[in-house]
Amino acid sequence: MATADPHFAEPELLDRTDLDPQVRERALAGLSRVNRWLFGSTSILRTLVPLLAEVAGPVVAIDLGTGTGEMVERLRRPLARRGVDLSLVAVDRQIAHLAAGRRAGFGHLPVVADAAALPFREGTCDWAISTLFFHHFDGSANRAILKEMRRVSRRGLAVVDLRRNPLAGLLVRLLLPALGVCRITRHDGIVSVRRSWRLDDLRRLVRDWPDPQIRRRFPFRFSLVIRT
């Protein structure tokens, strides 16, 4: 299956395993700043809080490609107001990212694993989720990851990621330098927008799946929910 963009082959620098630890820390801090100032959590909260709060009480979620886990950590407070106690399993291939999340005091269970070959039994969690992770992969890889998300979840899977829009690339080029982030964060922000998915491509990717729910989300985001 085709990817969203021919620039897909260009790597994001934070995906490298050989970055200097101090450089990685600065880049992760810059990414956190970008997400705070550019509405990174808005679409995530609007998508995931209602899903995870469908049944009050304890909820287990597995978050794929979590990075430090900061984005999904923001789910705890609004879920607690709805009477939901969230247990979060944070999965990432980069142990350095998970370690940064632990140093920040995030209360998730870190697991180093490949999202396409999860070390969990069928039906381990209530929901399998991913946020700003989908654009890292082409169609065939995302199909494999979605299959794993369905396998390990009892209720379903939910994805929130970047939606293709010409204006997004222009805004990223203008705003990232203004936020004072490092070169790696600026580079990866531009590459992420280039890798973002058109909704038509996304619909074709999941057209044979049962009742995929695809929505536009602000700003320049989409959500994909598939219930099991």
Side-chain angles (χ1 to χ4, degrees), residues 19-226:
L19 284 181
D20 178 87
Q22 292 184 341
V23 172
R24 185 182 300 278
E25 290 286 343
R26 287 196 297 272
L28 289 172
L31 181 60
S32 175
R33 193 180 315 153
V34 169
N35 287 328
R36 284 199 307 273
W37 285 96
L38 299 185
F39 307 101
S41 60
T42 301
S43 54
I44 293 170
L45 294 174
R46 289 180 177 174
T47 301
L48 297 180
V49 169
L51 291 176
L52 297 177
E54 286 180 345
V55 179
V59 172
V60 178
I62 296 175
D63 178 40
L64 305 187
T66 193
T68 65
E70 179 184 14
M71 294 295 286
V72 290
E73 193 70 19
R74 296 177 189 176
L75 294 167
R76 292 192 187 279
R77 186 172 296 176
L79 285 172
R81 290 197 292 265
R82 297 182 181 219
V84 177
D85 180 19
L86 175 64
S87 295
L88 184 65
V89 180
V91 175
D92 203 285
R93 288 192 305 180
Q94 293 271 21
I95 192 171
H97 295 176
L98 294 171
R102 296 298 285 180
R103 290 194 296 272
F106 301 147
H108 52 248
L109 174 65
V111 175
V112 179
D114 183 346
L118 295 173
F120 307 118
R121 294 180 179 179
E122 186 173 335
T124 295
C125 63
D126 295 294
W127 285 93
I129 62 178
S130 77
T131 64
L132 305 180
F133 181 57
F134 197 86
H135 68 272
H136 286 251
F137 304 99
D138 64 11
S140 60
N142 272 322
R143 290 275 295 190
I145 292 170
L146 291 173
K147 284 182 65 176
E148 278 293 88
M149 293 175 78
R150 284 191 72 195
R151 182 183 66 81
V152 301
S153 61
R154 293 185 292 270
R155 291 184 165 272
L157 66 90
V159 172
V160 182
D161 214 289
L162 303 173
R163 171 173 52 86
R164 176 63 55 86
N165 188 297
L167 183 58
L170 175 62
L171 289 176
V172 163
R173 290 179 180 276
L174 291 175
L175 294 177
L176 291 189
L179 291 175
V181 297
C182 69
R183 177 186 63 86
I184 289 177
T185 306
R186 294 196 302 271
H187 172 274
D188 285 2
I190 293 169
V191 171
S192 294
V193 170
R194 288 173 176 170
R195 288 176 160 183
S196 59
W197 280 69
R198 300 179 182 90
L199 294 189
D200 287 344
D201 292 329
L202 181 62
R203 292 187 185 100
R204 282 191 289 270
L205 185 74
V206 298
R207 61 190 171 192
D208 56 336
W209 290 53
D211 191 27
Q213 300 167 29
I214 299 172
R215 289 188 59 180
R216 294 174 181 265
R217 297 285 184 176
F218 173 85
F220 312 124
R221 304 288 198 273
F222 71 82
S223 64
L224 165 67
V225 177
I226 300 176

